[in-house]
């Protein structure tokens, strides 16, 4: 499922214009990104939690040349599914 499909489904469920739903979609993800950039968790009840975590530096390998290289530490976003949603999936 992609943005266009989500906007279409949202429009069908709410009877709002697709333009309004697209604006809503864009702003929801801007808000989520804003708080993740600030280092805050984003908890969506009955869905899950997005968190920023820091990965340690590690050794990697170029798959073409087989040369070893250092992968620097960096931040990444992780997602943990809520217990209720996990039960619904299984």
């Amino acid at each position: 499922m992609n943005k266009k499909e989500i906007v279409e489904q949202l429009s069908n469920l709410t009877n709002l214009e697709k333009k309004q739903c697209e604006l809503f979609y864009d702003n929801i993800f801007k808000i989520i990104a804003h708080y993740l950039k600030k280092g805050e968790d984003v908890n969506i009840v009955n869905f899950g939690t997005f968190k920023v975590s820091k990965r340690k530096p590690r050794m990697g390998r170029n798959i073409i040349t087989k040369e070893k290289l250092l992968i620097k530490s960096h931040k990444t976003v992780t997602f943990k599914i809520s217990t209720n949603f996990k039960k619904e999936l299984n």
Side-chain angles (χ1 to χ4, degrees), residues 9 11 32 46-47 57-58 78 83 87-88:
Q9 288 288 318
S11 178
I32 291 171
N46 293 323
F47 186 70
R58 60 189 170 89
T78 58
T83 307
K87 286 178 184 175
E88 287 181 31

Side-chain angles (χ1 to χ4, degrees), residues 43-55:
N43 180 26
I44 301 172
V45 178
N46 293 323
F47 186 70
T49 303
F50 295 93
K51 290 183 178 189
V52 175
S53 60
K54 191 167 185 176
R55 300 209 47 191

Side-chain angles (χ1 to χ4, degrees), residues 5-6 19 30 33 47 57 65 68 75 80 85-86:
E5 293 168 331
I6 292 171
K19 266 293 198 211
K30 281 181 188 175
F47 186 70
T65 65
K68 288 185 178 182
K75 294 178 183 176
K80 184 176 181 198
F85 189 42
K86 190 173 185 177

Side-chain angles (χ1 to χ4, degrees), residues 5-80:
E5 293 168 331
I6 292 171
V7 167
E8 192 170 316
Q9 288 288 318
L10 191 56
S11 178
N12 292 338
L13 289 170
T14 62
N15 295 320
L16 296 172
E17 292 180 17
K18 286 184 183 177
K19 266 293 198 211
Q20 290 175 305
C21 292
E22 186 172 356
L23 185 62
F24 178 77
Y25 174 97
D26 290 339
N27 284 314
I28 285 292
F29 288 102
K30 281 181 188 175
I31 292 167
I32 291 171
H34 171 77
Y35 283 96
L36 290 172
K37 286 176 188 176
K38 286 174 53 175
E40 295 184 32
D41 297 349
V42 178
N43 180 26
I44 301 172
V45 178
N46 293 323
F47 186 70
T49 303
F50 295 93
K51 290 183 178 189
V52 175
S53 60
K54 191 167 185 176
R55 300 209 47 191
K56 295 178 182 177
R58 60 189 170 89
M59 290 303 294
R61 189 178 298 267
N62 181 320
I63 59 172
I64 296 171
T65 65
K66 309 292 186 211
E67 178 184 351
K68 288 185 178 182
L69 56 117
L70 177 66
I71 300 172
K72 296 179 182 178
S73 66
H74 60 278
K75 294 178 183 176
T76 188
V77 175
T78 58
F79 177 76
K80 184 176 181 198

